Amino acid sequence: MVLRNGDGTTIFAAYRYIFHCNDALEAEIHAIMQGMALAIQHSDMPVIVQSDSSNALATLTDATLSRSAYGHLDAEIKAHMVAREFVPCKIGREQNRVAH
């Protein structure tokens, strides 16, 4: 997870080891959720959430209750969205080199 300010300068970067992860989608949703929590703590501005996973970004835009295996993460992301404006932004995999 990388938090940048408006001009693209890195504010901070973080990583976390997930001990039990089923697939890449779960890891991406975890990263989005943790990044949102950190952004709420360190900034009061609207946040653009960039990811190369359109499935993970769908958790930010889908208003329905998720009945997937990751529904608990989806609910936590929705709770973060009450505190701040988060704008999902799909980026290409080549733009997300820091994560791969």
Side-chain angles (χ1 to χ4, degrees):
M1 195 287 309
V2 178
L3 182 63
R4 301 177 192 272
N5 64 12
D7 67 2
T9 305
T10 301
I11 296 172
F12 69 86
Y15 73 95
R16 179 175 165 212
Y17 184 80
I18 301 172
F19 291 98
H20 302 286
C21 185
N22 294 317
D23 55 20
L25 177 60
E26 182 179 7
E28 190 74 22
I29 293 172
H30 265 288
I32 289 173
M33 181 189 67
Q34 293 296 320
M36 291 172 78
L38 289 170
I40 288 170
Q41 292 175 3
H42 294 280
S43 173
D44 57 354
M45 308 265 310
V47 177
I48 298 172
V49 178
Q50 295 180 332
S51 175
D52 59 0
S53 171
S54 56
N55 289 337
L57 287 174
T59 60
L60 277 77
T61 57
D62 189 7
T64 62
L65 176 66
S66 175
R67 299 192 188 285
S68 74
Y70 312 121
H72 62 291
L73 299 173
D74 187 20
E76 194 164 338
I77 286 172
K78 299 281 192 289
H80 288 319
M81 293 181 73
V82 173
R84 181 78 32 81
E85 178 185 0
F86 290 93
V87 180
C89 180
K90 171 78 167 82
I91 60 172
R93 188 175 191 103
E94 65 281 350
Q95 292 175 290
N96 197 12
R97 285 184 297 239
V98 71
H100 298 287

